[in-house]
Amino acid sequence: VELGLPGILPVVNKEACRKALKTAMALNCTTPDEIIKKKKNYYYPDLPKGYQITQNETPIGINGKLKIGDDKYVLIEEMHIEEDTCKSLHVNGYTLLNYNRSGVPLIEIVTKPCIKSSSDAMSYLENLRELMLYLGVSDCKIEEGSMRADVNVSVSKTDTLGTKCEVKNIGSIKDVGTAINEEIKRQIDILEGGGTLIPETRRFDSKLNTTVSM
């Protein structure tokens, strides 16, 4: 927790660390003996301090897994604690910022590139939500932003990963499935039309049910 005031040092949020460690254990992660937090500096309108406190270099959990079906697992790359940013609302060509959740602790869970379909992605999020509720880590109210998902999508005819595009601003588990399917279709149309994909960040427009470049 840090307000960005001159001369004020960060204070460790003990409860956030306890809940993150509980989550790491439930996801069968390996946990380190020591974690180090750093300030990640970057400019974006939803980051009022100009930096974010994070532990992404020494995550509190690595190499985990979550079962999503009979003999089917989603593999966890790592999970780390960091502070949340503002909530961005895109309205009529403008971006509005809600600062109420800025600085609130969050757990970011990163999967390995092992999810092969939108249905598996939705199953993973549904099972993860149930686990978080059972553990008492979060109320997981997606519509209020206490559980969110970004997706990285790439298409390829071989086992080699294709060009990755990230899709953000997805407001429900159902929309995650729609966003993935729409992004798969968009990428295939470009490639089959002789075009070239570029790595980019896109957002999901729930009114148009499509992804839009940011």
Side-chain angles (χ1 to χ4, degrees):
V1 179
E2 183 179 41
L3 299 179
L5 303 174
I8 303 298
L9 294 175
V11 177
V12 173
N13 185 319
K14 182 178 180 180
E15 183 65 10
C17 292
R18 188 185 72 82
K19 288 184 175 180
L21 187 60
K22 182 193 285 191
T23 303
M25 295 170 68
L27 289 173
N28 302 287
C29 290
T30 300
T31 55
D33 294 326
E34 179 183 49
I35 60 173
I36 300 170
K37 299 210 172 194
K38 293 186 177 181
K39 292 179 180 179
K40 182 170 67 174
N41 292 277
Y42 66 93
Y43 172 76
Y44 201 73
D46 66 5
L47 194 67
K49 291 186 298 191
Y51 62 84
Q52 180 183 41
I53 298 174
T54 182
Q55 53 150 172
N56 59 342
E57 293 183 12
T58 54
I60 200 166
I62 58 172
N63 296 327
K65 61 182 179 180
L66 179 65
K67 190 172 184 179
I68 63 168
D70 294 336
D71 299 320
K72 184 182 284 190
Y73 291 85
V74 168
L75 303 179
I76 308 296
E77 177 81 26
E78 53 102 341
M79 57 163 289
H80 58 266
I81 312 169
E82 61 186 21
E83 57 178 338
D84 208 345
T85 58
C86 300
K87 181 179 181 180
S88 300
L89 302 171
H90 306 284
V91 180
N92 298 327
Y94 293 91
T95 298
L96 308 178
L97 298 175
N98 183 335
Y99 287 91
N100 285 320
R101 75 181 191 202
S102 183
V104 172
L106 65 80
I107 302 169
E108 182 164 311
I109 302 171
V110 183
T111 70
K112 293 182 183 292
C114 61
I115 301 174
K116 300 293 180 68
S117 68
S118 59
S119 59
D120 281 356
M122 293 170 66
S123 294
Y124 163 70
L125 290 173
E126 287 164 356
N127 288 11
L128 183 64
R129 182 178 181 273
E130 287 185 7
L131 181 65
M132 296 295 102
L133 288 170
Y134 176 77
L135 295 174
V137 169
S138 171
D139 60 19
C140 296
K141 294 180 180 178
I142 300 174
E143 67 280 3
E144 295 181 8
S146 55
M147 180 178 175
R148 306 194 298 281
D150 299 335
V151 298
N152 293 320
V153 181
S154 69
V155 296
S156 176
K157 290 184 177 180
T158 68
D159 290 335
T160 304
L161 293 174
T163 300
K164 178 184 71 175
C165 293
E166 182 180 18
V167 183
K168 305 175 78 70
N169 194 41
I170 307 175
S172 71
I173 293 177
K174 179 184 176 182
D175 282 352
V176 166
T178 303
I180 291 172
N181 289 333
E182 288 300 310
E183 185 59 18
I184 288 172
K185 181 179 181 299
R186 184 189 74 86
Q187 293 186 19
I188 289 175
D189 287 346
I190 290 174
L191 293 174
E192 290 185 346
T196 302
L197 288 169
I198 58 170
E200 63 173 329
T201 302
R202 303 177 68 84
R203 66 178 178 86
F204 180 68
D205 188 319
S206 58
K207 292 182 180 178
L208 300 177
N209 276 342
T210 188
T211 66
V212 180
S213 180
M214 293 180 68

